[in-house]
Amino acid sequence: KHRFDNMAELTIAFVDLTGSVSVFETLGNDRAAKAVTKLTQWIGSMGLEHNGKVVKMLGDGVLLSFTNNRMAVECMSTIQQEHSQRVAQWPNRLKLMMQIGMARGQVVQVDGDCFGDAVNVASRLSDLAGPEQILANDVVIWALFATSLNLLVGYTGLVSFGHAAYFGIGAYTTGILMK
């Protein structure tokens, strides 16, 4: 029997490695497989550190899910930046680059796996991304915008804006009075 979990609103990230053919040709099967495995495990551990879940490892790809959209974007950006710095000085034939696709939407979870439009879109966006690129659907972008806007004008933002306005008006008034 399959365990069908509830549908959930998730951000799905698909990280695909490119350049593995030349790595396998250069290092041989055993060493290249170890390098790819080490990198995909690192990607998975980064996902876990950002409160994500590793849905599955797919050879030279990793499928991750996140309930928190901001954490998903932060995780993928961090992975891309750190990996880019790591391989900057490596010979081109040994570089495993990443192309990342992200999508947010309703996902059906079945026995630890996940299915739905967000999964399909993230996979397609990953295919369309070039090496060292992250492509995201509009829902990911709008959710990130909404989070940022809430931070800017939400409770903490209004307090900060109120303090700035208070001091700004005070400085302006003092300037006029000192003329």
Side-chain angles (χ1 to χ4, degrees):
K1 261 189 168 179
H2 296 287
R3 194 180 92 225
F4 289 85
D5 298 329
N6 293 334
M7 287 189 61
E9 178 86 11
L10 299 173
T11 300
I12 301 297
F14 189 75
V15 182
D16 191 29
L17 302 178
T18 64
S20 57
V21 172
S22 67
V23 171
F24 273 85
E25 289 172 350
T26 304
L27 298 178
N29 289 340
D30 188 48
R31 287 177 59 204
K34 286 178 183 173
V36 168
T37 301
K38 186 175 180 180
L39 183 53
T40 56
Q41 287 174 343
W42 174 74
I43 293 166
S45 70
M46 291 294 288
L48 294 173
E49 284 180 27
H50 287 84
N51 299 323
K53 177 184 171 198
V54 177
V55 177
K56 59 181 150 184
M57 303 279 193
L58 304 159
D60 66 353
V62 182
L63 181 64
L64 301 135
S65 67
F66 297 84
T67 54
N68 185 310
N69 187 67
R70 184 185 58 79
M71 292 298 283
V73 172
E74 182 180 305
C75 179
M76 293 304 108
S77 298
T78 301
I79 285 173
Q80 193 72 282
Q81 290 169 0
E82 287 185 19
H83 183 68
S84 182
Q85 290 172 356
R86 289 167 132 181
V87 301
Q89 303 301 318
W90 293 8
N92 284 338
R93 68 185 185 285
L94 294 178
K95 285 186 182 180
L96 286 166
M97 304 309 292
M98 296 179 194
Q99 48 193 70
I100 300 173
M102 299 179 70
R104 185 159 182 89
Q106 291 293 317
V107 174
V108 179
Q109 298 172 334
V110 181
D111 294 331
D113 204 347
C114 60
F115 304 92
D117 289 340
V119 178
N120 297 331
V121 171
S123 176
R124 288 187 186 122
L125 289 173
S126 174
D127 289 342
L128 293 172
E132 298 189 59
Q133 286 186 337
I134 301 172
L135 296 182
N137 74 343
D138 57 344
V139 180
V140 171
I141 305 301
W142 280 109
L144 187 61
F145 171 73
T147 302
S148 301
L149 186 62
N150 183 49
L151 184 62
L152 180 64
V153 296
Y155 176 74
T156 58
L158 286 176
V159 170
S160 297
F161 181 76
H163 280 100
Y166 175 77
F167 288 117
I169 291 170
Y172 180 75
T173 304
T174 302
I176 289 178
L177 292 174
M178 294 189 70
K179 267 187 166 183

